[in-house]
Amino acid sequence: MTEPQNTGTTAPDQLAPMPDDWQRALAVVAHPDDLEYGCAGAIASWTDAGREVAYLLATRGEAGIDTLAPAEAAPLREREQRASAAVVGVDTVEFLDHKDGVIEYGTALRRDIAAAIRKHRPDLVITLNHQDTWGGVAWNTPDHVAVGRATLDAAADAGNRWIFPELIEQGLEPWNGVRWVAVAGTDRPTHAVDARPGLERSVRSLLEHRAYLEALTAEDPEKYCRSFLGGIAEQLAPRFGGVPAVAFQVFAR
Ligand SMILES: [Zn+2]
């Protein structure tokens, strides 16, 4: 098996390797577990290589467990998310106070994300599928659409001192250094990362969402995580030189 090379002549259906000349990334998603359904495997490889990755979650996923009231679910899911991040080498996990299930796309959300981008000064911003559907077959949730779109927008907002001038009053100077926004879980991938080095940790990372998984599936959680994450990585292999992959749609800035 050969490692895929970016020759500049990559066929449209072949995925290019993710850019690797960067040091800091900020991953912005709606809910605990959003990053663990695939993306965390790539994050494990990046932190192994000495890169810094921080997580920003718009909510605590408090509406995610039918049998648990939001007041109890929020701290539980926050703890699970922190444990899950630690498995892939991420120590910085921050939460905004948007409401799970009813996140509104708008300037308040863009401002909160722009503030985080100014604070963390990432080269790479990661988010989750902002399209209407998952692969054209399942309807996406409004939270993912709102946070994905707002993150793509906020990467530019963060660099403009005249948008959200109140952030400057808070000491958050413009950051115009975001070079790419990479969207995980997309059905229009352009780039990929070898899933193999981080696969085992991505399974353990998803398993940390134990209360959520127990409510979600009657299947053995480990079997479920391994088959789900292994399956999506294998599905992408034909488009990445035969290498199981974590894929992203990369928007360069
Ligand atoms: Zn989600």
Side-chain angles (χ1 to χ4, degrees), residues 28-171:
V28 185
V29 292
H31 314 117
D33 82 31
D34 284 355
L35 287 164
E36 283 69 43
Y37 276 96
C39 188
I43 291 169
S45 296
W46 292 330
T47 58
D48 279 352
R51 301 201 176 96
E52 300 155 40
V53 182
Y55 288 0
L56 176 71
L57 286 92
T59 76
R60 289 172 175 75
E62 66 272 13
I65 302 178
D66 187 51
T67 51
L68 209 56
E72 294 165 71
L76 169 69
R77 299 207 72 199
E78 181 177 335
R79 274 198 306 281
E80 289 188 341
Q81 182 62 62
R82 291 187 192 284
S84 176
V87 171
V88 293
V90 175
D91 301 324
T92 304
V93 183
E94 297 172 352
F95 294 84
L96 300 173
D97 289 317
H98 292 260
K99 285 193 80 172
D100 188 9
V102 289
I103 300 174
E104 289 185 31
Y105 174 87
T107 49
L109 182 59
R110 277 170 52 197
R111 181 173 51 237
D112 286 348
I113 299 169
I117 292 171
R118 290 186 184 191
K119 178 180 160 193
H120 291 284
R121 305 189 147 226
D123 313 295
L124 168 68
V125 169
I126 298 153
T127 190
L128 189 67
N129 183 19
H130 61 288
Q131 307 286 355
D132 285 341
T133 67
W134 296 99
V137 292
W139 194 244
N140 200 354
T141 75
D143 281 3
H144 299 146
V145 175
V147 172
R149 290 198 68 90
T151 302
L152 283 154
D153 295 334
D157 298 336
N160 185 323
R161 72 173 54 255
W162 308 117
I163 301 177
F164 310 131
E166 63 273 34
L167 296 181
I168 293 181
E169 288 162 25
Q170 295 164 28

